[in-house]
Amino acid sequence: MAIIAAFDLGTTALKCAVVDDEQNVLFSGKENIKTYEIDSFIEQNPEEWWSAFLSLSSRFDTSAVDYIIFSGQMQDLYFVDKDGHSIGNAVLYNDQRGKDYVDRIPEYVGKETSINIDGSIPITRKLWFKDHSPETLEKAEYLMISAKDYLIFK
């Protein structure tokens, strides 16, 4: 019998379900995630994502798990140092601090794209960091854009 642990890191919580291959639920739980909002800045702390993962994982027998599935919010932007620690908070997908950089995007990707370019796409927020927090970019070893990737990375 295969045991599957699925984690979904959404905007409000990390949810977990552990099921067997006959669809019996062996565990389900969630840990709320705090969101910090100041004006158009919307952030979360990746270390809170990790703490929530550890908390949920401590509530079931992880040694019995055969497969792990991750899903989560995308288009976030956060930086990780060489030791695997987040540098500051993650800038969430709905953060608009990059709105003043939208006109600069054609310089980097051309005029035609398959997505709507607005202040929430990661490249606009990275440009914001370049101008407003270059020390963050200097410390960063990795740039990540999906919340679940931090859990996988750790």
Side-chain angles (χ1 to χ4, degrees):
M1 172 176 16
I3 305 293
I4 303 163
F7 294 89
D8 176 45
L9 182 50
T11 307
T12 60
L14 175 64
K15 284 94 48 193
C16 175
V18 179
V19 298
D20 64 22
D21 54 7
E22 295 179 2
Q23 300 179 5
N24 296 307
V25 177
L26 307 176
F27 170 80
S28 69
K30 76 174 191 172
E31 288 284 330
N32 292 329
I33 304 293
K34 186 184 289 186
T35 299
Y36 306 93
E37 295 185 48
I38 300 173
D39 298 323
S40 65
F41 290 18
I42 304 170
E43 304 178 349
Q44 288 179 345
N45 182 343
E47 298 304 328
E48 289 181 29
W49 301 339
W50 181 241
S51 293
F53 175 77
L54 293 176
S55 175
L56 287 168
S57 298
S58 71
R59 297 185 211 162
F60 61 90
D61 181 7
T62 57
S63 68
V65 173
D66 298 297
Y67 304 99
I68 301 174
I69 300 168
F70 289 97
S71 67
Q73 61 195 23
M74 295 173 44
Q75 302 269 352
D76 297 333
L77 178 70
Y78 56 101
F79 304 95
V80 177
D81 69 17
K82 64 181 174 54
D83 297 319
H85 303 290
S86 64
I87 303 170
N89 286 336
V91 179
L92 298 193
Y93 62 91
N94 49 353
D95 182 289
Q96 289 293 316
R97 75 184 69 191
K99 68 183 185 304
D100 294 337
Y101 295 86
V102 171
D103 293 340
R104 290 176 54 189
I105 300 306
E107 296 174 36
Y108 300 97
V109 298
K111 292 184 179 186
E112 292 190 36
T113 69
S114 61
I115 62 168
N116 182 34
I117 296 180
D118 62 23
S120 69
I121 64 170
I123 192 170
T124 61
R125 288 176 278 141
K126 183 174 186 270
L127 291 170
W128 183 92
F129 273 92
K130 183 178 175 185
D131 287 349
H132 297 278
S133 187
E135 65 280 359
T136 298
L137 296 177
E138 289 170 16
K139 293 178 195 172
E141 186 74 18
Y142 307 100
L143 177 150
M144 295 189 176
I145 60 171
S146 180
K148 69 175 172 31
D149 293 341
Y150 192 68
L151 302 179
I152 295 167
F153 179 80
K154 295 287 267 183

